[in-house]
Amino acid sequence: MSSFGWGGLLIRIILNRVMRYDSKTIALHWATVALVLILWTIGQTADMLPRGPWRGAYWSLHFFLGFVFVAVLLLRIFWRSGRGTRLPPADKGILRTLAISTHYLLYALLVIVALLGIANAFAHGVSIFGLIKLPRLADHAVAESLTDIHGLAANGLLAIAALHAAAALVHHYLWRDSVLERMMPGDASRLK
Ligand code: HEM
Ligand code: HEM
């Protein structure tokens, strides 16, 4: 127990509720970040491997984690539009508009990359570790163009996410406010 006793504990619990995102929102945010980074890295590097079973397994991991990512994204949108915590943007004026637009843009790009990924998987008729084989619904040329557009959208997502992450770090290290802390697991004791 801290030196503030029960009163201090109660204040911490209340602060925790009103000043930071709930634990599900935080878990879904960081699961999305991890999946996007892994999926993008696999997508960019898979064709560097020689043709053969290892390359196939590496792509299978992309397709499998791709479907996990779709599930996490659906859960996230469901939770965010229902009981998930909503906090007022920390910035004012133009920065506030920029922060809100960036968040909408990130959600839009997440959905676009996911939809193009699913379309791409069916266009190629991919196999996932040889266990599941999707039906092939398009010819080779269509499948190849879908891969290009999916890859382009994925790069766009990474670029906007990098700006968004930089903004979070500027808040934390330069402006020293609690914007990053409220999306971090833990309790309210570190909030400024
Ligand atoms: C944030 C999520 C995702 C990211 C960042 C991502 C990224 C990428 C990248 C960079 C490529 C390579 C594109 C190129 O070569 O031009 C790729 C290919 C591909 N992705 Fe994704 N992807 C994601 C989600 C998904 C999902 C949900 C699926 C569907 C299950 C999927 C299925 C595919 C397929 C089928 C290919 C083409 C594979 C091939 O050429 O054989 N992706 N992805
Ligand atoms: C692929 C990478 C990322 C994606 C797709 C992403 C997506 C998002 C989205 C959509 C939101 C809005 C949440 C909402 O209001 O519903 C958000 C909030 C947030 N993200 Fe990220 N994010 C990524 C990476 C990061 C990284 C690397 C950091 C930290 C360095 C970060 C820190 C934050 C913070 C602090 C918030 C809360 C902002 C506020 O309360 O105004 N994000 N993120």
Side-chain angles (χ1 to χ4, degrees):
M1 178 75 50
S2 77
S3 53
F4 296 105
W6 292 107
L9 181 66
L10 192 66
I11 289 173
R12 255 194 205 186
I13 292 171
I14 295 170
L15 275 181
N16 225 8
R17 276 295 174 88
V18 296
M19 288 183 66
R20 62 188 304 122
Y21 290 98
D22 61 280
S23 55
K24 288 195 187 69
T25 297
I26 294 173
L28 289 165
H29 176 269
W30 292 108
T32 309
V33 176
L35 285 165
V36 167
L37 292 180
I38 295 169
L39 284 162
W40 185 79
T41 306
I42 299 176
Q44 292 295 344
T45 53
D47 286 343
M48 294 173 187
L49 293 179
R51 275 183 195 283
W54 286 107
R55 195 204 277 195
Y58 199 48
W59 270 123
S60 282
L61 189 62
H62 184 87
F63 312 142
F64 171 71
L65 291 179
F67 283 111
V68 173
F69 159 75
V70 170
V72 168
L73 182 58
L74 287 176
L75 266 177
R76 182 166 185 193
I77 292 171
F78 172 77
W79 183 247
R80 173 68 167 84
S81 51
R83 289 175 48 211
T85 310
R86 289 165 213 195
L87 297 176
D91 306 296
K92 294 196 174 62
I94 182 85
L95 283 182
R96 182 191 176 97
T97 315
L98 207 64
I100 296 173
S101 331
T102 308
H103 291 170
Y104 273 112
L105 188 58
L106 281 171
Y107 277 121
L109 284 167
L110 288 167
V111 170
I112 290 171
V113 174
L115 289 177
L116 286 169
I118 295 170
N120 202 3
F122 280 98
H124 281 271
V126 300
S127 146
I128 304 176
F129 296 114
L131 297 173
I132 299 171
K133 174 98 177 78
L134 299 184
R136 187 189 182 119
L137 301 182
D139 65 31
H140 186 71
V142 173
E144 283 311 299
S145 334
L146 267 174
T147 300
D148 289 347
I149 305 170
H150 171 68
L152 218 62
N155 289 346
L157 171 62
L158 262 288
I160 302 297
L163 287 179
H164 160 78
L169 295 176
V170 166
H171 270 283
H172 189 70
Y173 289 108
L174 290 183
W175 300 338
R176 294 173 184 280
D177 59 24
S178 47
V179 169
L180 179 59
E181 292 292 348
R182 63 193 196 172
M183 193 49 107
M184 287 296 187
D187 64 35
S189 58
R190 287 177 302 172
L191 292 175
K192 293 170 189 99

